[in-house]
Amino acid sequence: MKALLLSLVLLSATAFATDKVKINGRLFVAEGFDDNDLVEVTVVGTLPNTCYRNPSFEIDNKDNLFEIRLFAQYFPSKEGCRNVSMAYSETINFGMMLTGDYVVNLINKHGTEVKNLQIKSATTALVDEFLYGNINGVVEEEDSREVELVGVNPVSCLVYDKMMTDVQKNMIVLRPQFKEVGPCENKATPFRIRYTVPYLENKESGVLLHVRVMNGRSYNYLYQNRL
């Protein structure tokens, strides 16, 4: 009986055996981080077919050089792999970093993408120079270039004021600024902000919207730039 159970366990393990394989991606690094921000970079890409799952990454850091390697789990299937590409996005948090110049390398299967990362000294002791909202999603309009930034602030007194934007190569940095109005209560307050994404001529499909969020964080969304 024990031998039969052991055989079943081994067969089950073989059926679900996976390989850790390298995958490709694109690296996005925003400009404008201060030494009191949570520094984040974003990697986006597509998994080749349905046998690739669970994208992940590893980071090596030596002095001012960061190297990111991408992996996925490969699950072989008796029925074969469906030729369907699955998009993925990974936001990688480096935490707070000292003022200085850094290099971030994304090591893909067929080459290395190199980006520079500059950290400036903060001009204020606050985490953010401005009040940003607690944005947690982006909703696209199908037939226009409008998007909605949606979120929930933890207090009732924050009101949307204006949007500051900065086009940086293949990404757009959005800084939706809020202001305090009236008394503050600890009350969850949802909000929506409409924004029209400018058409970036001669840019490839896939423009990253890097949205600054309260407490030094960011929210990242890959906009396809197709219309």
Side-chain angles (χ1 to χ4, degrees):
M1 185 66 176
K2 289 183 178 179
L4 178 59
L5 288 174
L6 179 59
S7 298
L8 290 174
V9 169
L10 290 175
L11 286 172
S12 177
T14 302
F16 292 98
T18 64
D19 292 321
K20 185 178 179 180
V21 295
K22 295 179 180 179
I23 56 175
N24 293 318
R26 293 169 58 196
L27 176 64
F28 294 84
V29 179
E31 300 172 6
F33 285 115
D34 296 333
D35 58 5
N36 62 354
D37 288 326
L38 294 175
V39 179
E40 297 177 338
V41 303
T42 303
V43 176
V44 299
T46 54
L47 301 179
N49 56 54
T50 56
C51 288
Y52 289 80
R53 304 177 194 173
N54 304 327
S56 60
F57 58 87
E58 294 178 357
I59 301 176
D60 292 325
N61 171 224
K62 184 177 181 181
D63 299 325
N64 285 26
L65 173 65
F66 290 84
E67 292 188 335
I68 303 171
R69 291 175 172 81
L70 301 173
F71 301 94
Q73 297 295 325
Y74 182 77
F75 290 78
S77 171
K78 292 181 181 179
E79 295 78 19
C81 306
R82 293 182 61 194
N83 190 25
V84 178
S85 297
M86 302 295 292
Y88 73 88
S89 175
E90 293 284 346
T91 296
I92 302 172
N93 192 328
F94 289 168
M96 290 186 177
M97 299 173 64
L98 297 175
T99 303
D101 295 317
Y102 299 82
V103 175
V104 183
N105 289 345
L106 177 64
I107 301 176
N108 282 306
K109 288 175 62 177
H110 306 299
T112 300
E113 185 178 2
V114 181
K115 298 281 188 179
N116 294 318
L117 170 63
Q118 184 182 53
I119 308 299
K120 298 179 180 179
S121 297
T123 58
T124 174
L126 299 174
V127 174
D128 293 317
E129 295 181 56
F130 304 98
L131 293 173
Y132 296 125
N134 188 36
I135 290 163
N136 52 33
V138 173
V139 180
E140 283 193 51
E141 294 284 346
E142 291 187 4
D143 55 355
S144 75
R145 295 187 65 84
E146 276 200 330
V147 298
E148 274 195 331
L149 311 181
V150 297
V152 179
N153 285 328
V155 292
S156 61
C157 60
L158 291 182
V159 176
Y160 173 65
D161 184 21
K162 59 184 177 181
M163 178 73 74
M164 304 295 291
T165 64
D166 183 14
V167 178
Q168 302 176 1
K169 298 178 182 177
N170 58 352
M171 65 191 308
I172 302 175
V173 177
L174 303 179
R175 295 181 173 89
Q177 297 179 14
F178 285 67
K179 59 184 178 182
E180 285 191 26
V181 177
C184 276
E185 298 179 3
N186 292 324
K187 178 182 178 182
T189 307
F191 63 86
R192 290 176 174 267
I193 303 170
R194 298 191 73 83
Y195 172 71
T196 300
V197 182
Y199 180 70
L200 302 184
E201 193 173 1
N202 300 323
K203 298 295 184 182
E204 60 185 309
S205 177
V207 174
L208 191 77
L209 302 182
H210 176 84
V211 188
R212 300 308 301 269
V213 182
M214 64 171 49
N215 296 326
R217 298 175 295 116
S218 65
Y219 180 87
N220 298 281
Y221 180 83
L222 188 67
Y223 183 81
Q224 292 304 318
N225 198 40
R226 60 182 179 270
L227 293 178

